[in-house]
Amino acid sequence: MRYPFLDLAPVNAPYIDEICKAQERVARSGRFIGGPEVDTFERNLCNLTGASYAVAVSNGLDALRLILRAWVVMGVMNPGDEVIVPANTYIASVLAITDAGLTPVVAEPSAETFNLDIDKVESLITPRTRAIMPVHLYGRVCYSERLGELARSRGLMIIEDNAQAIGASWRGISTGNLGDAAAFSFYPTKNIGALGDAGAVTTSDRLLAYTVRALANYGSDRRYHNIYAGFNCRMDPLQAAVLNVKLPHVDEENEYRRSIAAIYLKEIKNPHVTLPSMPEDSREHVFHQFVVLADNRDALMAYLADNGVGCDIHYATPVHRQPCYEATLGQRSHPVAESLVDRCLSLPITRCTSADDAHAIAAIINRFPV
């Protein structure tokens, strides 16, 4: 591919020397579980988000699982309680709900933002509803005054799936600090990625942070004393060291993606390709992915491949149509979500895509014959 969708080598190139020094520092320290690198990472994430507490964990799915399981053991939720979650999301959002013994209530996304359609949430609330999980999909903030007021008036928790939107904000409040708790993923492809799996939980609830930390460490509050039947979901200091190198550059990384998105938004003119809508405040979108809708998506994808342009589909199958959930969630159709997955296509937008590349990709798309 002349224009690859993703190549992690150039993505990490600006930081590679510092990363190597940080990892050598960990290797020489003899401290390979917990320790100062993890502590520093947690402080850095609190400073970034404005949340009072951060707990470094093993990956984004575990971050979601730990939040929900913590609320269960705290008595905030009980098995069978409902969590509203968008149909247009990665399966991890729903896996975390069912893993905690809770019931996912799948909601339609907005055809404009691809995120949870907040106007349709209220009709899904029942006496068993305990939480709403907005997913900041593709890096676009999913939040509004209406969502916050609805949660407060109904006594519902808000858990942000912030796996794709680190550094985004809504009216000056960072994602990761908009709800009661948030889950982060630092999978290598994310805007700020580790060199392996890593995740985090942020919250300003002291008891929740304490419970998540205990659950992530075998359910223990101190050595050989287990207050919960917990897990082993800790972030290792090698990944924390990598993230401590990268976190100070989150705004720079997000601005780079916005600059590539701006070229696409200005120059792609093919009438059969629908560009993503933009929020009024650019800080609300950090473009983890740049997703267009194409009338003939598969033909466009093949055409792009023939012209040396890599692309991807996020996500090809909605959660309610996944084999593991079809029996429980597939009884109800979600036509907006199903239409989006049939038409969506992600274009290159990482540091392996230069501005010249973006101009060329836009021109190639404009020549696509339908």
Side-chain angles (χ1 to χ4, degrees):
M1 287 289 177
R2 182 178 179 185
Y3 309 107
F5 179 74
L6 176 64
D7 181 352
L8 288 175
V11 168
N12 286 306
Y15 313 109
I16 197 66
D17 291 341
E18 196 173 351
I19 285 172
C20 290
K21 291 176 183 177
Q23 295 212 313
E24 181 181 4
R25 182 172 66 245
V26 174
R28 292 184 181 279
S29 74
R31 184 68 184 269
F32 306 130
I33 300 293
E37 293 288 351
V38 176
D39 295 341
T40 298
F41 166 76
E42 291 179 345
R43 288 195 300 272
N44 288 342
L45 190 59
C46 285
N47 291 336
L48 176 68
T49 62
S52 300
Y53 305 97
V55 182
V57 300
S58 43
N59 55 66
L61 171 57
D62 284 344
L64 288 169
R65 292 171 65 222
L66 288 162
I67 293 167
L68 292 169
R69 187 63 65 95
W71 278 333
V72 170
V73 302
M74 291 165 59
V76 175
M77 299 180 183
N78 294 298
D81 283 347
E82 296 171 351
V83 179
I84 296 172
V85 62
N88 191 38
T89 185
Y90 185 55
I91 196 170
S93 308
V94 181
L95 289 172
I97 298 170
T98 57
D99 179 78
L102 303 168
T103 302
V105 175
V106 178
E108 280 277 44
S110 161
E112 179 182 354
T113 68
F114 307 154
N115 276 333
L116 177 70
D117 190 335
I118 294 171
D119 291 335
K120 295 179 179 177
V121 169
E122 189 168 11
S123 66
L124 299 174
I125 297 173
T126 75
R128 296 302 302 272
T129 307
R130 295 292 178 270
I132 303 168
M133 184 188 291
V135 180
H136 306 309
L137 194 68
Y138 308 142
R140 180 170 183 159
V141 176
C142 180
Y143 193 79
S144 70
E145 284 185 354
R146 175 171 167 74
L147 180 63
E149 290 170 1
L150 182 62
R152 286 190 293 272
S153 66
R154 297 298 190 94
L156 305 178
M157 313 301 285
I158 292 180
I159 172 175
E160 299 173 69
D161 184 335
N162 195 39
Q164 300 184 5
I166 188 169
S169 63
W170 178 82
R171 298 186 179 178
I173 304 171
S174 295
T175 55
N177 197 27
L178 289 166
D180 297 280
F184 290 73
S185 169
F186 300 99
Y187 188 73
T189 62
K190 296 296 193 283
N191 293 30
I192 296 295
L195 299 190
D197 276 317
V201 171
T202 56
T203 182
S204 290
D205 183 327
R206 182 188 63 81
L207 180 57
L208 177 62
Y210 172 86
T211 308
V212 166
R213 190 177 299 281
L215 284 170
N217 188 32
Y218 297 94
S220 62
D221 59 345
R222 61 182 185 271
R223 194 178 186 202
Y224 300 140
H225 188 259
N226 302 77
I227 54 176
Y228 308 117
F231 314 96
N232 178 10
C233 297
R234 302 168 301 204
M235 180 190 291
D236 71 69
L238 284 169
Q239 301 302 343
V242 172
L243 294 172
N244 286 331
V245 170
K246 289 187 170 186
L247 270 180
H249 302 280
V250 63
D251 289 341
E252 175 187 340
E253 290 295 332
N254 289 341
E255 283 302 322
Y256 185 88
R257 290 171 183 257
R258 290 189 185 107
S259 71
I260 299 301
I263 294 171
Y264 290 149
L265 289 167
K266 181 180 180 181
E267 297 189 8
I268 294 176
K269 303 293 185 182
N270 192 308
H272 299 282
V273 176
T274 302
L275 298 170
S277 66
M278 282 296 295
E280 292 182 8
D281 183 353
S282 65
R283 297 288 301 175
E284 292 184 29
H285 206 324
V286 297
F287 288 101
H288 173 59
Q289 304 295 345
F290 187 93
V291 179
V292 300
L293 301 179
D295 295 338
N296 195 345
R297 191 265 311 279
D298 293 344
L300 174 59
M301 194 171 186
Y303 164 83
L304 291 174
D306 288 344
N307 284 270
V309 180
C311 48
D312 204 349
I313 299 172
H314 296 89
Y315 298 96
T317 304
V319 290
H320 63 288
R321 296 299 185 209
Q322 293 288 354
C324 61
Y325 285 124
E326 198 155 15
T328 53
L329 302 179
Q331 307 306 311
R332 182 178 174 185
S333 177
H334 298 280
V336 177
E338 290 157 18
S339 173
L340 290 176
V341 301
D342 287 340
R343 301 175 62 212
C344 67
L345 189 67
S346 300
L347 302 180
I349 198 165
T350 70
R351 279 199 178 271
C352 73
T353 303
S354 68
D356 287 345
D357 292 342
H359 291 300
I361 291 167
I364 290 168
I365 291 173
N366 290 339
R367 294 195 296 269
F368 174 57
V370 178

